[in-house]
Amino acid sequence: MPQGESGADARSARPTMKDVAALAGLSIKTVSRVVNGVSTVDPELATRVQDAARKLGYRPNLTASNLRRSDGRTLTIGMLVEDAANPFSAALMRAAEDIARSRGVLVLFGSLDEDPARERELVEALLDRRVDGLVMVPAGRDQSYLAAEQQAGTRMVFVDREPGLLGADAVVSDNRQGAITAVEHLLAHGHRRIGYLGDQITIPTAAQRFDGYQYALEYARLPLDPDLVRHDLHSTEAAEEAVEQLLALPEPPTALFTSQNLVTIAACRALRRLRKHQEVAMVGFDDFPLADILEPGISVIAQDADALGRIAAQVLFSRLDGDTSATRTMTVPTRLIPRGSGELTPRSVRA
Amino acid sequence: MPQGESGADARSARPTMKDVAALAGLSIKTVSRVVNGVSTVDPELATRVQDAARKLGYRPNLTASNLRRSDGRTLTIGMLVEDAANPFSAALMRAAEDIARSRGVLVLFGSLDEDPARERELVEALLDRRVDGLVMVPAGRDQSYLAAEQQAGTRMVFVDREPGLLGADAVVSDNRQGAITAVEHLLAHGHRRIGYLGDQITIPTAAQRFDGYQYALEYARLPLDPDLVRHDLHSTEAAEEAVEQLLALPEPPTALFTSQNLVTIAACRALRRLRKHQEVAMVGFDDFPLADILEPGISVIAQDADALGRIAAQVLFSRLDGDTSATRTMTVPTRLIPRGSGELTPRSVRA
DNA sequence: TCTCGTCCAGACAACGTTGTCTCGCCGTCG
DNA sequence: CGACGGCGAGACAACGTTGTCTGGACGAGA
């Protein structure tokens, strides 16, 4: 059996206010008033409208309503993240969704995969649909192309990374301080040679974390050995290889600081393959599920993705509600979760 | 500095075809023709329109276009999953997003949290926005309320679970066969007492997996011991407690079959706490990240979430393209991934 | 030269809804 | 008894766009 009807019939099949008005023997405008809960309608007529609407299965057409309404709200916001399938992005989306839902707003989403071109494409696609606002993790480093849109009244909030060349609200983790905490934790356990494994240094968060790493070493008056630093580990394979290379050095690191989720996991895997996971200490940036039941548990600097998404959405809605105060960047603190891997000492090397 | 302008100005700030037409000294309709790439426009006038559009930063208003167009397409689909933050749901969403994007379609999403009331609310919210189609993991067991919508021409495809009381396309994993494979794998390794830990039995997939468990035991002419079966483990705590209770039985199971992601992880955690993870065999339904680097690695029946999401979206678009063949359920096979936990034998008990 | 057909731009209406204005009704007050 | 005010319903236009139709210009063929 075919599913539903063909295009032409489909259109006529959905009742409009006109149909409801005809059935109730009233004008379209009165139906509109009832649907929008305007109080100046005779209660008897209102029930007549409601009965007719129920009978026909009438549902308001939000796109038409949006077109005509003076506030022009679509009750829809757009959310662009790095990759909807990645746990961090997924947590951001879910948190924003919950805030949006409490206001009857739905969320359109898109994954950018760190591609600035895709960022622009998807932003345009969202704007063409006249979303009320935008929450995004920018992929590119220049969002100045959004200035006109911002001027046109579209509200936007950046999450996880601040916008480039554009004044707008942002909600970010305290990346630099988190990295400092991680490195100081390793230093406190006696490590002096601490490797850094990070994602593309062009990503602002990666740069901030690397900055924290450098600062913590400097503060401890330790030299920064370039041999222990590896950037641009965007694939799992690259990250695993980097770990192997670091540990094959004449003077290998006794501890690792991994600046991102996937890098951390890749490092775990590599250490296990080398059977050094009980020797080489490790602290990762960003928590991940099951980090606690590995052996040893993986110590991490946890970001509060929930809070990031929630606050971003809240800021967006406060802007939509008319908050015109100065734009600002809100920083959400990170938290060190010791689970074992970060508490290994250099002495535990190959007993 | 305030961000953007206030509502009233915002509206006027965005140029329309009228503005472009005025600047180009042509009629609105000609602008429309150029924007839509109609060929019967004088090339010179077309470039005049394009220049004017670029100059003003004109972007078409998709909601207005949708209202007027005969096909009524919004280039937007809706996707309802269990929880956008859950890896399985997130993978479904990402896969569907990629298919949609290749056709210039964006995705509105919502999380149902197994709540049928929320399912109806969100379906309505999506329909009010006139999405072209719906991809959903149903939360309730009765989708007959969608029949009218289906008749009105809205295409819908169900993923992971078939719809109840409604004829519609569905794309599901082979849950029963997957469960049979899991149990037979444990039987082949010598287990005779195999525990079942599952989510709410009212969820169709959980029921199908339990059915497979029962069938495999029956086929092996083994009795089904009700003491070894625990349903409705919807929280991590409940699942961990169930494991402890099962292992505290006078005749504890030597192997566990966990019928869902979160239950599997909870069971891992519980076994580790009891220090029995090297003794009690386990196969889980649904793969999860890091299952391979635990010790032992967790053997799982992997679902292909990517394929589910991708195929569902493809089916939806083929319907939108006019495919009116009979609705059908497509089954995506599962795959046993042995990693260690499923290959433990009863003999390995406390050597 | 006239007719006819082709080609393309614009006038007009319409999509489903809401903002604005008008108008009729009723009750009240002078 | 007439004027007035308030209330509520409907007529009309408009949001930004596209489908349909008209009409003018132009070229070709008789």
Side-chain angles (χ1 to χ4, degrees):
Chain A
M1 194 198 312
Q3 186 193 40
E5 314 224 340
S6 64
D9 307 321
R11 208 185 171 79
S12 59
R14 199 169 268 123
T16 71
M17 282 193 175
K18 199 164 142 186
D19 302 315
V20 176
L23 183 60
L26 293 165
S27 78
I28 295 180
K29 183 70 227 210
T30 301
V31 176
S32 167
R33 276 192 269 256
V34 173
V35 168
N36 290 288
V38 174
S39 59
T40 64
V41 179
D42 186 315
E44 195 215 309
L45 300 189
T47 53
R48 239 163 77 197
V49 168
Q50 279 153 358
D51 289 349
R54 204 170 11 250
K55 199 163 186 174
L56 295 175
Y58 172 77
R59 291 258 83 217
N61 182 330
L62 226 60
T63 68
S65 161
N66 159 247
L67 186 60
R68 189 60 182 84
R69 279 196 124 90
S70 48
D71 64 4
R73 292 288 162 83
T74 50
L75 294 180
T76 301
I77 62 172
M79 178 143 198
L80 298 178
V81 297
E82 202 229 311
D83 172 10
N86 151 326
F88 178 72
S89 302
L92 288 179
M93 284 173 48
R94 179 61 210 258
E97 179 203 346
D98 286 342
I99 299 296
R101 193 198 337 263
S102 69
R103 312 184 45 132
V105 169
L106 294 191
V107 185
L108 272 165
F109 79 96
S111 303
L112 302 181
D113 291 332
E114 302 295 356
D115 179 352
R118 193 124 98 193
E119 175 188 323
R120 296 196 62 155
E121 268 170 42
L122 283 175
V123 163
E124 268 193 356
L126 290 169
L127 295 176
D128 289 353
R129 286 164 181 77
R130 296 296 185 268
V131 290
D132 298 335
L134 235 42
V135 175
M136 63 189 284
V137 179
R141 294 169 61 73
D142 175 5
Q143 277 70 45
S144 58
Y145 68 94
L146 282 168
E149 225 9 86
Q150 205 178 39
Q151 212 58 31
T154 305
R155 311 300 173 182
M156 47 193 81
V157 176
F158 291 77
V159 211
D160 187 45
R161 306 175 190 166
E162 295 184 71
L165 310 176
L166 183 79
D169 293 307
V171 183
V172 300
S173 279
D174 194 344
N175 290 296
R176 186 165 179 276
Q177 185 54 52
I180 292 173
T181 303
V183 174
E184 288 187 339
H185 186 68
L186 291 169
L187 291 170
H189 283 82
H191 296 279
R192 290 298 171 268
R193 288 184 66 71
I194 301 173
Y196 171 91
L197 298 166
D199 202 346
Q200 294 158 249
I201 193 71
T202 51
I203 299 175
T205 52
Q208 289 159 12
R209 292 170 196 173
F210 181 60
D211 187 45
Y213 165 83
Q214 285 181 298
Y215 177 83
L217 290 184
E218 196 177 314
Y219 188 80
R221 297 178 191 284
L222 284 173
L224 186 142
D225 182 346
D227 288 348
L228 299 186
V229 172
R230 300 296 300 271
H231 293 296
D232 302 320
L233 306 175
H234 200 55
S235 74
T236 304
E237 294 72 32
E240 292 191 33
E241 203 182 310
V243 171
E244 288 173 21
Q245 290 171 357
L246 249 58
L247 295 183
L249 287 174
E251 273 192 279
T254 63
L256 299 175
F257 168 54
T258 52
S259 90
Q260 190 244 57
N261 227 332
L262 302 177
V263 176
T264 306
I265 291 170
C268 285
R269 224 181 285 271
L271 287 178
R272 253 145 244 273
R273 205 172 41 235
L274 298 168
R275 307 240 153 259
K276 294 203 174 160
H277 53 290
Q278 298 288 3
E279 297 172 17
V280 178
M282 181 162 83
V283 175
F285 205 108
D286 205 0
D287 199 7
F288 56 94
L290 299 190
D292 57 329
I293 62 175
L294 293 175
E295 285 168 8
I298 306 302
S299 301
V300 298
I301 302 295
Q303 297 192 79
D304 194 343
D306 256 37
L308 288 171
R310 190 176 57 243
I311 294 171
Q314 281 164 343
V315 170
L316 181 67
F317 285 116
S318 78
R319 292 297 183 186
L320 286 169
D321 288 344
D323 175 358
T324 54
S325 59
T327 62
R328 63 200 182 110
T329 294
M330 302 188 59
T331 302
V332 176
T334 58
R335 193 165 51 97
L336 170 70
I337 305 180
R339 293 200 178 107
S341 75
E343 294 72 45
L344 297 172
T345 62
R347 287 187 307 279
S348 51
V349 172
R350 202 162 295 264
Chain B
M1 192 198 313
Q3 187 193 38
E5 315 223 338
S6 64
D9 307 320
R11 207 183 172 79
S12 60
R14 200 169 268 123
T16 70
M17 282 192 175
K18 198 165 145 187
D19 303 315
V20 176
L23 182 61
L26 293 164
S27 78
I28 295 181
K29 183 70 225 210
T30 301
V31 175
S32 167
R33 276 191 268 257
V34 173
V35 168
N36 289 288
V38 174
S39 58
T40 65
V41 178
D42 186 316
E44 194 215 309
L45 300 190
T47 54
R48 238 162 79 197
V49 168
Q50 278 153 1
D51 289 349
R54 202 169 13 249
K55 197 163 187 175
L56 294 175
Y58 171 77
R59 290 259 82 217
N61 182 331
L62 227 58
T63 69
S65 161
N66 160 246
L67 186 60
R68 190 61 182 86
R69 280 195 122 90
S70 48
D71 64 3
R73 292 287 162 81
T74 51
L75 295 180
T76 301
I77 61 172
M79 178 143 199
L80 298 178
V81 296
E82 203 230 308
D83 172 10
N86 150 325
F88 178 71
S89 301
L92 287 179
M93 284 173 47
R94 179 63 210 259
E97 179 203 346
D98 286 341
I99 299 295
R101 197 205 325 271
S102 69
R103 312 186 43 134
V105 168
L106 295 190
V107 185
L108 273 165
F109 78 96
S111 302
L112 302 181
D113 293 331
E114 302 296 355
D115 179 351
R118 193 124 96 194
E119 176 189 323
R120 296 197 60 155
E121 268 170 41
L122 284 174
V123 163
E124 268 192 354
L126 290 169
L127 294 176
D128 289 354
R129 286 165 180 77
R130 297 293 184 268
V131 291
D132 298 335
L134 235 43
V135 175
M136 64 188 285
V137 179
R141 294 170 62 71
D142 175 7
Q143 277 71 46
S144 58
Y145 67 94
L146 283 168
E149 230 2 273
Q150 206 180 38
Q151 212 58 33
T154 305
R155 311 301 173 180
M156 47 193 80
V157 176
F158 291 77
V159 210
D160 187 44
R161 306 174 191 167
E162 295 184 70
L165 310 176
L166 183 78
D169 292 307
V171 184
V172 299
S173 279
D174 194 345
N175 290 296
R176 187 164 179 276
Q177 184 55 52
I180 292 172
T181 304
V183 175
E184 289 187 339
H185 187 68
L186 292 168
L187 290 172
H189 284 81
H191 297 279
R192 290 299 172 266
R193 289 185 65 71
I194 302 173
Y196 171 92
L197 298 166
D199 202 346
Q200 294 158 249
I201 192 70
T202 53
I203 300 176
T205 51
Q208 290 159 11
R209 292 170 197 173
F210 181 59
D211 187 45
Y213 166 81
Q214 285 180 298
Y215 177 83
L217 290 184
E218 197 178 313
Y219 188 80
R221 298 178 190 281
L222 284 173
L224 187 143
D225 182 346
D227 287 349
L228 299 186
V229 171
R230 301 297 300 270
H231 292 296
D232 302 320
L233 306 175
H234 200 56
S235 75
T236 304
E237 295 73 31
E240 292 191 33
E241 205 182 309
V243 172
E244 288 174 21
Q245 290 171 356
L246 250 56
L247 295 182
L249 287 174
E251 273 192 278
T254 62
L256 298 175
F257 169 53
T258 52
S259 92
Q260 192 245 58
N261 226 330
L262 302 177
V263 175
T264 306
I265 291 170
C268 284
R269 223 181 286 272
L271 286 179
R272 254 144 242 275
R273 206 174 38 237
L274 297 169
R275 306 240 155 261
K276 295 204 173 158
H277 53 291
Q278 299 286 6
E279 298 170 18
V280 177
M282 181 162 83
V283 176
F285 205 109
D286 205 0
D287 200 6
F288 55 94
L290 299 189
D292 57 327
I293 62 174
L294 294 176
E295 284 167 9
I298 306 301
S299 301
V300 298
I301 300 296
Q303 298 192 78
D304 194 344
D306 256 36
L308 288 170
R310 191 176 59 243
I311 295 170
Q314 281 165 343
V315 170
L316 181 67
F317 285 116
S318 77
R319 292 297 183 187
L320 286 169
D321 287 344
D323 175 357
T324 54
S325 58
T327 62
R328 63 200 182 112
T329 295
M330 303 188 61
T331 302
V332 176
T334 58
R335 191 165 52 97
L336 170 70
I337 304 180
R339 291 196 180 112
S341 76
E343 293 71 46
L344 297 173
T345 63
R347 287 187 306 280
S348 53
V349 171
R350 202 162 295 267

